[in-house]
């Protein structure tokens, strides 16, 4: 199992909500077919077939908890 698959599994199980590295999440979204647009520190992800836009901002080198929950609900 790849690192990206492990990260996706942890997110969907709810085990790693507060410990997700921002770069790992960006890599995961790109591997799932999302496209990225960057404006300042906002990373905006869109994907055909997904009506909701994911707007991510790093919190240090981690991913913000509420954004993890939003991703899990979309996926």
């Amino acid at each position: 199992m790849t690192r990206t698959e492990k990260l996706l599994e942890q997110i969907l199980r709810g085990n790693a909500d507060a410990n997700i590295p921002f770069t790992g999440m960006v890599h995961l979204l790109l591997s799932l077919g999302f496209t990225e647009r960057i404006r300042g520190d906002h990373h905006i992800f869109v994907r055909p077939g997904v009506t909701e836009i994911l707007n991510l901002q790093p919190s240090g080198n981690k991913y913000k908890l509420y954004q993890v929950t939003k991703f899990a609900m979309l996926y």
Side-chain angles (χ1 to χ4, degrees):
M1 183 180 283
T2 67
R3 201 181 309 190
T4 303
E5 291 170 336
K6 287 179 185 178
L7 181 60
L8 178 60
E9 184 179 315
Q10 287 177 335
I11 291 170
L12 295 178
R13 279 188 311 192
N15 292 349
D17 290 347
N19 274 333
I20 297 176
F22 187 77
T23 55
M25 190 63 190
V26 169
H27 187 268
L28 172 64
L29 289 170
L30 292 175
S31 71
L32 291 173
F34 285 84
T35 56
E36 179 182 26
R37 185 176 79 223
I38 301 172
R39 297 265 171 131
D41 68 341
H42 293 256
H43 295 250
I44 301 162
F45 293 89
V46 294
R47 185 174 99 176
V50 177
T51 57
E52 187 111 11
I53 294 171
L54 287 173
N55 182 2
L56 310 180
Q57 302 126 3
S59 178
N61 64 345
K62 299 290 182 191
Y63 188 57
K64 292 183 179 180
L65 178 59
Y66 76 91
Q67 295 170 340
V68 174
T69 306
K70 185 175 180 180
F71 169 75
M73 290 186 330
L74 285 177
Y75 196 77

